[in-house]
Amino acid sequence: MATCLVVANSLFRPPKPILPHKHHPLQPISSHSLPKSPLNSTFLKPHFSHSDSCRFRLIAPASLGETDASSDEPLPLVGEDSAAFDLGTQNIVSWVYFTIILGVVLFVLDVIWIDNSTGFGKAFIDAVSTLSDSHEIVMLALILIFATVHSGLASFRDMGEKLLGKRAYRVLFAGVSLPLAVSTVVYFINHRYNGVQLWQLQNGPGVHQLVWLSNFISFFFLYPSTFNLLEVAAVDQPKVHLWETGIMRITRHPQGSSHRTLSVLSSILPYCVPVVISLSFQMVGQVIWCLAHTIWIGNSVAVAASVGLIGHHLFGVWNGDRRLAIRHGEAFEVVKKRTSIIPFAAILDGRQKLPKDYYKEFIRLPYLAITAMTLGVYFLHPVMQAASFRLHW
């Protein structure tokens, strides 16, 4: 703007008389003598012509959330960058605290819930099993109990944090949800082949490869807050994030924001790695996981588990959007317009503009860790199954 005013001033004011001893020939104004890029091209962009005047062209900033269908460039972010991890900003003391907290949580969980000689896990399973002799009914009941408690605590998070504080409520949230999830997972592993066999496709050509690939892909639909391990363990103050990049560009509900705490803490337990993580999936990742396991197992227990889990996370779609709208207001409405629940829908109809280097949003340390973990989980399936069988739940 200052440059343009100087040029305009030199054009409009009367020329000074040329003194005999000084010679100042007037230079024509050309595009080469002007700055190549204005200081702020977003709000004020000077437009120069070869006429004797200097005119300004005002470019009004786009309203929040407005999309430009004629532009192939992605809009500026309103939410946060997903899965960003900078080693240079990490505090070693925080990770020491995380390791200590994790060890304490696992020890307490084993003593009060998993160990049959001291814990209440087996008694809980036995109590729920009295509802019916049907493994399908018990499976659905366990999922319903977990879903009610877990989503209920997530829904009352704002009120609970005001009463107890953010860190204390996170401890309560995980401390209640984790034992219920472990029970549900162990029961599923131990009774997954006790139902009525509906089909048998395990020996079909390409079925194993399809199921394996589907499960592998489903783990990349982790909700980005799952990567914030220090917040999960309440070392850092827990927050309700509004993510916008990475997997969120494909679907707004990869996995449930109300279930992220559970997924990481429980994923390291040898009893329940794959299924507990799947319990944290919101809609898309959960549907992929459930379809893959149901195709592979092919019986009524697998169908019952899939129906319960998918139903829970369909509710989570509505509940998650509701909570984000309350917490983030207009900013969430902007992200909502740019994203979709159905994968790729916003991209296909032009509401979501992918950056040219979009793939770089996945070449990050959290996704490399997910890749290693997913492969590890696959090879550790026999170990996890043996550990579950020993519990006799």
Side-chain angles (χ1 to χ4, degrees):
M1 178 175 179
T3 305
C4 188
L5 290 175
V6 171
V7 175
N9 188 40
S10 66
L11 287 173
F12 288 117
R13 71 183 180 185
K16 293 181 179 180
I18 302 175
L19 299 177
H21 63 281
K22 289 185 180 180
H23 209 47
H24 296 284
L26 293 176
Q27 297 295 329
I29 298 177
S30 66
S31 59
H32 299 288
S33 64
L34 298 174
K36 294 183 179 180
S37 59
L39 293 177
N40 193 343
S41 59
T42 304
F43 299 97
L44 187 61
K45 185 176 181 180
H47 175 74
F48 300 101
S49 68
H50 295 286
S51 64
D52 293 335
S53 63
C54 182
R55 292 174 294 179
F56 292 93
R57 179 162 55 96
L58 262 201
I59 298 180
S63 62
L64 203 59
E66 182 181 342
T67 58
D68 184 2
S70 63
S71 174
D72 292 332
E73 295 298 323
L75 294 169
L77 292 180
V78 174
E80 299 178 61
D81 189 16
S82 306
F85 188 86
D86 184 2
L87 284 174
T89 62
Q90 300 303 307
N91 187 341
I92 186 64
V93 175
S94 296
W95 287 104
V96 171
Y97 285 154
F98 171 80
T99 304
I100 294 173
I101 292 172
L102 191 58
V104 171
V105 168
L106 295 180
F107 175 77
V108 173
L109 181 65
D110 182 66
V111 172
I112 70 171
W113 199 260
I114 295 177
D115 191 332
N116 286 335
S117 62
T118 60
F120 297 95
K122 189 176 188 313
F124 172 73
I125 292 291
D126 291 341
V128 177
S129 298
T130 60
L131 297 175
S132 175
D133 293 332
S134 168
H135 295 296
E136 295 83 356
I137 298 297
V138 175
M139 186 77 253
L140 286 171
L142 289 170
I143 293 174
L144 179 61
I145 293 170
F146 167 77
T148 302
V149 172
H150 195 62
S151 293
L153 288 173
S155 298
F156 288 107
R157 176 174 178 172
D158 290 341
M159 182 187 303
E161 287 181 344
K162 290 179 181 177
L163 294 173
L164 304 176
K166 293 184 178 181
R167 286 187 172 89
Y169 193 77
R170 172 57 58 88
V171 172
L172 173 65
F173 177 76
V176 175
S177 300
L178 192 53
L180 296 177
V182 171
S183 298
T184 306
V185 167
V186 171
Y187 188 88
F188 175 78
I189 293 176
N190 288 350
H191 300 280
R192 68 192 187 282
Y193 285 113
N194 292 141
V196 177
Q197 197 66 36
L198 304 175
W199 58 80
Q200 179 56 260
L201 302 176
Q202 293 184 3
N203 296 325
V207 173
H208 180 269
Q209 292 79 1
L210 174 63
V211 170
W212 187 91
L213 182 61
S214 298
N215 279 282
F216 184 82
I217 292 173
S218 72
F219 279 82
F220 284 87
F221 281 84
L222 277 168
Y223 192 79
S225 288
T226 306
F227 303 136
N228 292 9
L229 298 180
L230 297 181
E231 287 186 29
V232 168
V235 176
D236 288 348
Q237 184 166 276
K239 302 174 184 176
V240 178
H241 295 273
L242 182 63
W243 304 111
E244 193 176 356
T245 62
I247 196 66
M248 306 302 289
R249 297 185 188 273
I250 296 176
T251 171
R252 190 169 67 252
H253 286 280
Q255 295 186 5
S257 59
S258 62
H259 309 119
R260 56 182 174 260
T261 302
L262 176 66
S263 61
V264 175
L265 285 178
S266 55
S267 65
I268 57 166
L269 292 172
Y271 304 96
C272 52
V273 175
V275 187
V276 171
I277 292 179
S278 74
L279 285 172
S280 70
F281 288 16
Q282 174 113 342
M283 213 271 285
V284 176
Q286 184 65 77
V287 168
I288 295 173
W289 187 93
C290 285
L291 289 178
H293 279 76
T294 303
I295 289 172
W296 181 254
I297 297 173
N299 65 17
S300 55
V301 170
V303 171
S306 294
V307 169
L309 291 172
I310 293 175
H312 175 207
H313 294 89
L314 287 176
F315 166 78
V317 170
W318 169 81
N319 195 38
D321 278 357
R322 180 188 66 84
R323 294 174 57 228
L324 287 173
I326 293 173
R327 181 63 65 98
H328 294 285
E330 184 182 0
F332 170 70
E333 296 302 325
V334 174
V335 174
K336 185 177 180 180
K337 289 178 182 177
R338 298 178 183 177
T339 56
S340 61
I341 296 174
I342 300 175
F344 301 103
I347 299 172
L348 294 176
D349 64 21
R351 291 182 288 120
Q352 175 65 241
K353 307 288 186 180
L354 294 180
K356 294 179 181 179
D357 57 352
Y358 175 56
Y359 66 92
K360 292 183 179 179
E361 295 181 0
F362 290 92
I363 305 179
R364 294 176 173 179
L365 183 59
Y367 284 108
L368 296 177
I370 288 297
T371 302
M373 184 198 70
T374 305
L375 295 174
V377 164
Y378 173 74
F379 291 110
L380 288 175
H381 263 61
V383 176
M384 295 183 291
Q385 292 166 5
S388 293
F389 294 153
R390 285 198 296 270
L391 292 176
H392 302 290
W393 288 4

